[in-house]
Amino acid sequence: MLVLLPPSEGKATGGAGKPLAAGALSLPGLSGARQAVLAELVELSRGDEDKAAEVLGLSPGLRGEIAKNAELRTAPTRPAGEIYTGVLYDALGIATLSGTARRAADRSLLVFSGLWGAVRIGDAIPSYRCSMGVKLPGLGALGAYWRDPMADVLPEAAGDGLVLDLRSAAYATAWKPKGELAERTATVRVLQSKVVGGVEKRSVVSHFNKATKGRLVRDLLTAGHEPASPRELAEALRELGYAVEGDAPAKGGKPWALDVVVTEL
């Protein structure tokens, strides 16, 4: 099972790890593309601050992120699982997983990134600011930039098992499984159910969506479930107490779209 996660906007700062060793990151087939984005981001951040803030979409209160980007090559690192914070990662609770579950997480979790393309949670990286929606002056829109490198590398990383795609829309632009691989891919949408005036109403609520996705990944890892197909995933989640709706797509070559319905966080 390969689980595709979005990063978080907020990231832990500091760290005690050695400076970045880009060549030691997982998915070495992305190394050349990573080096190009890193060089462009560092150069941008060491130049005109107003331009960097505009390109990176930073408000005045976040301009300190520019100085952080400028020092990416020498900044201390942490495992990616510690760098990414926020609702999804709080619910996932990587640091509190048991040994067996943590090893499964190291194998199966892949975090997408505008800067790195994708990293595993054990990869040592510095804190940074560069979303997939950024358009770098020399490379263009990062979502489009990463498509070719990802297309070469991700199918091998997925192997012949399930791909559980929990990415947000911006990060999904960087790679979309195709053909037979798409048929073993499942996307998950979390819907909050409320009864208003005797009528059920469902909606997507960001906090519920992120927290539930983090929780269901943790539950799968903790229970030792490694479903091999979208159908097995739906069955495993139901066994864990989730209300799951959805079935195989009408056409081949398409991912499954599963809805997880929740009533409370």
Side-chain angles (χ1 to χ4, degrees):
M1 178 174 68
L2 186 67
V3 182
L4 311 181
L5 298 175
S8 57
E9 285 295 321
K11 298 175 183 69
T13 56
K18 295 179 180 180
L20 176 70
L25 298 179
S26 300
L27 307 178
L30 299 178
S31 291
R34 287 170 176 150
Q35 291 286 7
V37 178
L38 178 63
E40 177 88 3
L41 181 60
V42 169
E43 181 180 0
L44 172 71
S45 300
R46 289 181 175 176
D48 182 85
E49 184 177 297
D50 289 338
K51 179 180 178 180
E54 180 181 0
V55 170
L56 297 173
L58 300 178
S59 65
L62 292 174
R63 288 205 170 199
E65 301 289 289
I66 298 171
K68 185 166 66 176
N69 282 346
E71 304 302 324
L72 282 172
R73 296 188 189 278
T74 57
T77 59
R78 291 186 181 198
E82 297 178 13
I83 286 285
Y84 297 112
T85 60
V87 175
L88 188 154
Y89 290 90
D90 285 347
L92 176 52
I94 292 170
T96 60
L97 290 172
S98 68
T100 301
R102 176 56 191 260
R103 288 189 290 274
D106 288 338
R107 292 193 307 271
S108 62
L109 304 188
L110 203 61
V111 184
F112 273 59
S113 162
L115 173 53
W116 314 115
V119 292
R120 297 195 185 275
I121 61 169
D123 284 333
I125 58 174
S127 184
Y128 67 96
R129 186 78 176 211
C130 184
S131 72
M132 193 66 80
V134 164
K135 294 182 180 180
L136 290 175
L139 299 177
L142 291 176
Y145 171 81
W146 281 112
R147 284 176 198 155
D148 286 345
M150 292 288 193
D152 291 337
V153 172
L154 266 293
E156 181 179 355
D160 58 3
L162 168 73
V163 176
L164 173 53
D165 189 353
L166 302 179
R167 296 172 296 168
S168 54
Y171 289 88
T173 63
W175 181 62
K176 293 183 179 180
K178 296 180 179 179
E180 183 271 337
L181 180 53
E183 294 176 1
R184 355 184 213 104
T185 297
T187 62
V188 171
R189 179 177 64 165
V190 178
L191 299 176
Q192 182 189 15
S193 173
K194 284 185 175 181
V195 177
V196 179
V199 178
E200 183 193 30
K201 293 187 177 181
R202 293 180 175 182
S203 60
V204 177
V205 180
S206 178
H207 193 79
F208 275 74
N209 179 55
K210 293 175 182 178
T212 302
K213 286 179 176 178
R215 190 175 298 117
L216 70 83
V217 172
R218 181 183 178 88
D219 288 346
L220 287 168
L221 295 170
T222 301
H225 285 307
E226 293 198 21
S229 68
R231 191 178 301 279
E232 289 184 17
L233 170 67
E235 292 171 356
L237 290 175
R238 290 181 184 119
E239 287 179 12
L240 291 169
Y242 291 90
V244 180
E245 300 175 357
D247 211 332
K251 293 183 179 180
K254 301 289 184 181
W256 286 47
L258 301 178
D259 286 340
V260 173
V261 182
V262 297
T263 56
E264 58 185 21
L265 190 60

